[in-house]
Amino acid sequence: MKQQQEKLGIREYVCIAFLMIGMKGTEDTPSMLFSHVQNAAWMIPLLSGGLFFIPLFLLLKTLSLFEDKNLFEVIQLLLGKYIAFFISFIIFCLNTYAISLDTRTYTNIIRAYYFTTTPILVLYGILMVVCVYAAKKGIQRIGSISYILIFYVALSFFFAFWLSMKDSQFESIFPIWGPGTLELLKAGPLGIGLWGEFFILASLISFMTSFKDFRNGTWIAFGCVVIQLSLATMLFIALFDKGLSVIGYPFHVAIRYISIGEFLPNIETLFFPIWLSAAFIRFAAFLFINALIFGHLFNIKEYQYLIPSLATIYLLIGMIPETPIDVALLKEPLRYVAGPTFAAISIILWLSAWFKGEFKHAKNKKNM
Amino acid sequence: MRKKRSLIKPLKLLSKTFNTQPHFVEQSNQQEIEIKKQKISRNYKKNLETFKTLYSIPDNIDVKTREFTIASLNRQALVIYLSTMTKLAYIQTGIIDDLVENQDPDRSIPDIVSHPLVRTVEVIEDILQGINSGSAALFVDGDNKCYLFDTVEIKSRGIEPPKNEVIVKGTKEAFTEKVIDNIALIRKKIKNENLIVEFKVVSKRSRNDVFLVYEKDLVDGELLQTIKDKLESLDTDSIADLSILEQYIEERPRSLFPTILYTERPDRAASFIEEGHITLLMDNSPSCLVLPATFWSIFHSPEDHYLRTPYGNFIRLLRIIALFVALFTSSFYIAITNFHVGMIPPDLLMAIAGTRERVPFPSIIEVLMMELAFELIREAGLRVPSPIGPTIGIVGALILGQAAVQANIISPIIIIVVALSGLSSFIIIDVSFNFAIRMTRFLLILSAGFLGIYGITAVLIIGLFYLGSLKSFGTPYFAPMTPYFLSSRDLLIRHVPMKDRFRPGYLKPKDVVRRRKG
């Protein structure tokens, strides 16, 4: 019974997944999508979601063969010690790159919109300290706190979007195919990078109450996030139209733009703490998972103690780019590489399981 | 955790070598301990001598001895008792009168004496313990055993209404200092043979006893064993009060937030026992401890359930708003006026700026000064003798605030902010939780002064994670909300009592279902 308390329930898992990936709608992702396919940007999450559905489905199928093993143990079982180490290392490096630049992006947002005179290092340092504290408490606590917060996060996002509807013009989503269907299809794979986190979340299987919870949770979160991202992008397009191409962080511009009636003109300070809490949770979970991967790579059992040192390294890497523009430029290649890599690994895993006859084996086992 | 300790270890060793404990020479009372281990003698003269030395008679004035002859048996008898802890009438009518007036020479002592509660003991130590807890000891010449009569009567106040957990609707009884009465108050509410009152001695010198009260067919055996082990592991000379025991058995005695519920209301204790919780009672403490306790059980008030559902939920909502107001008003004010000025409507901003024009301090100093003043008034209001209490309140709140504004020490809006947050903090009834909120407020004020909303949010998230990691005897602080457990979902909003179908799952009660459907 005591063991069970240490496990992550489906509610908590969905909340973590939602906060980790849904937060993308509130940073620079929508404007990045817009710069590629203009006013059809809202279709990219749907399209790439549809594309990523296949590798995710195959991944879950493969993982279901080894019920209580997590992603990296499965990679090791299927691909052997050396290739597995190589692949896990690539995943770890991609994550390191992603988390460093993402935390820096968030720091940039905080600095650009709320604390224009505070040194970046102070803002960045506090962000990391809070995330380290949270991550050290373990994924279970991260899940619990995200479950407590998710209601307020969702409510505040909906409230913001609802207020922005007043000034939106939904005609701006036309022409419906944006620059043309061909362009749209070309941009589809680019969007796969949006869902890379679902792949990493598979390393949490051993913390979950059951594999069934993990599978159902993943699908629920995936469905919610696809709709949420698409909806958010659409609302930003409706609100800013062409202007979205020059707006770096549309969510924050949107909450500055809106107001409650005449008497409260600037309400961004109401949304900021909630957005910030969600950001803390996002990076805490990210940090925890990275420490977990690192611990797995180098056989470190007590990986929680890695979290502070890893966070320091991320902070140092994140401090390298001088300006927000540099961050955006550095993030560009990640978008092209991360998504396809994760998708490819999923497919490779499934293929190797298939060739090894694991599926038949499992079927036989079931029949017996 | 292990690694962390290994780092601290050398430091601890170092501090140990420098802070050596002074060497005490304990005076040996080996001889007395030897005596206590022995059995009593047949010769009552010798027994009298033994007890006279042990009790230092005649220096010890409230230890009384009464010697007399039982004529019918032609034997000498001796009664020893503590006059301050016994009822003299019991000894007179129930013991001595019966023995003296008896005519029948064939009857044995238990047959002659009419006092209902008798037990016989032989070892001196046990007799001493009996006398110390208010029994009268009867020695008869020629008998090698002693009769102990339960004649205890301790003076204490009667059952009074609760002072701290005041409610409008519902019972108005509070626990008293007499543990027997307290148990009776609980038994009065749970008339069930499964209600167990267990007894444990927790300290060595004062021999304070703790009573565990629980329902045998509900409580989780593992939890019960954990608590018993914890009580047994206490190694101390004296635990005078339940609130001290609370600190001894808490998991994190240095934490800001309480993990054990302390209540003075028997109805609250009874309702927790019926859910499968365990309560601890102690003599001399007008209260009880409920464990394990979660955030929700500390946050709720018994009145939420006594009032009709909509009213009960209304005061719950008021309380959660009060919690936020008490925590965040002052810090939010500082954050907004110092960092996010754009948030305030321009007219109000001009007004605030106008009143602050002649105040020489930064707003964080203003708020801190006023918060401190409020805490001082509050603490002073508690301590002043009651006839002049209201006067102090008026002097403190009205005159001090008004004068401070006129003297340009603070701006009037600060009074609104501090009064609002101070007033709201009174709505949280639990004493420990109230303190936690008040102290956290200062932390938030400082963080707001440092980095505005960003600082507040950072402290809030760290605080939430800290709360989430708290455990009360294995139960997570936010259970059953997260991690999820089966329960009747009595968290922020409660249902009608008919829907209150489950006992909280985190207690692992033997019977989860309180009420079947249909």
Side-chain angles (χ1 to χ4, degrees), chain B residues 137-152:
Chain B
L138 170 71
F139 301 86
V140 180
D141 193 21
D143 272 4
N144 60 349
K145 58 196 172 200
C146 160
Y147 305 91
L148 280 178
F149 300 93
D150 195 354
T151 53
V152 60

Side-chain angles (χ1 to χ4, degrees), chain B residues 99-367:
Chain B
L99 290 169
V100 172
E101 288 161 14
N102 177 45
Q103 304 293 337
D104 191 348
D106 299 331
R107 286 162 75 181
S108 65
I109 300 286
D111 293 337
I112 302 170
V113 179
S114 63
H115 191 82
L117 300 157
V118 192
R119 64 195 171 101
T120 53
V121 280
E122 291 173 1
V123 183
I124 290 180
E125 201 173 17
D126 297 340
I127 300 169
L128 282 173
Q129 202 188 334
I131 297 174
N132 288 346
S133 53
S135 298
L138 170 71
F139 301 86
V140 180
D141 193 21
D143 272 4
N144 60 349
K145 58 196 172 200
C146 160
Y147 305 91
L148 280 178
F149 300 93
D150 195 354
T151 53
V152 60
E153 193 204 44
I154 304 167
K155 309 288 181 291
S156 79
R157 65 184 167 117
I159 294 162
E160 284 169 21
K163 289 271 158 59
N164 296 325
E165 293 167 73
V166 186
I167 64 171
V168 177
K169 202 174 173 183
T171 59
K172 291 186 180 55
E173 289 168 337
F175 284 129
T176 68
E177 280 78 0
K178 211 161 147 187
V179 77
I180 302 297
D181 286 353
N182 293 349
I183 293 166
L185 283 173
I186 293 177
R187 279 236 186 250
K188 200 169 88 177
K189 290 176 180 71
I190 307 172
K191 297 188 179 79
N192 190 322
E193 68 281 3
N194 285 311
L195 183 72
I196 306 285
V197 180
E198 234 179 283
F199 162 90
K200 262 203 162 31
V201 178
V202 286
S203 60
K204 282 183 197 151
R205 182 173 274 273
S206 311
R207 308 196 65 76
N208 305 102
D209 19 76
V210 170
F211 295 81
L212 287 104
V213 185
Y214 57 90
E215 281 205 53
K216 186 179 65 183
D217 57 345
L218 287 180
V219 78
D220 174 42
E222 207 178 308
L223 175 70
L224 187 64
Q225 199 51 49
T226 320
I227 290 167
K228 279 185 188 167
D229 291 347
K230 188 104 194 183
L231 287 176
E232 248 156 47
S233 68
L234 298 180
D235 179 30
T236 172
D237 265 4
S238 144
I239 294 178
D241 195 85
L242 209 54
S243 39
I244 295 172
L245 181 75
E246 180 185 0
Q247 299 171 46
Y248 268 99
I249 60 175
E250 244 178 334
E251 215 160 294
R252 297 191 190 192
R254 288 178 193 84
S255 163
L256 260 191
F257 288 84
T259 51
I260 294 177
L261 181 74
Y262 178 94
T263 176
E264 51 173 12
R265 300 188 61 92
D267 53 332
R268 209 169 171 201
S271 79
F272 276 115
I273 293 171
E274 279 173 336
E275 282 186 341
H277 291 261
I278 295 169
T279 55
L280 301 184
L281 294 163
M282 244 176 109
D283 233 335
N284 309 319
S285 311
S287 53
C288 80
L289 295 181
V290 178
L291 19 120
T294 62
F295 172 80
W296 307 107
S297 59
I298 291 169
F299 177 71
H300 292 167
S301 142
E303 193 158 29
D304 302 348
H305 283 269
Y306 293 143
L307 289 173
R308 296 184 58 242
T309 312
Y311 317 153
N313 285 328
F314 177 66
I315 59 169
R316 281 249 177 107
L317 286 178
L318 272 187
R319 200 174 308 130
I320 193 89
I321 291 170
L323 179 73
F324 279 96
V325 169
L327 270 178
F328 293 114
T329 329
S330 318
S331 45
F332 199 62
Y333 171 78
I334 290 174
I336 285 191
T337 49
N338 286 347
F339 291 88
H340 317 280
V341 189
M343 168 131 200
I344 314 172
D347 294 346
L348 183 60
L349 183 66
M350 296 309 281
I352 294 176
T355 56
R356 287 221 37 187
E357 205 174 28
R358 295 170 66 180
V359 178
F361 304 111
S363 60
I364 183 164
I365 299 288
E366 273 183 88
V367 168

Side-chain angles (χ1 to χ4, degrees), chain A residues 5 12 123 144 263 266 276 305, chain B residues 1-2 342 345 451 454 474 482:
Chain A
Q5 288 186 356
E12 283 88 6
L123 296 173
S144 289
F263 64 99
N266 298 310
L276 194 59
Y305 298 109
Chain B
M1 279 316 259
R2 237 183 319 146
L451 259 183
Y454 188 49
T482 171

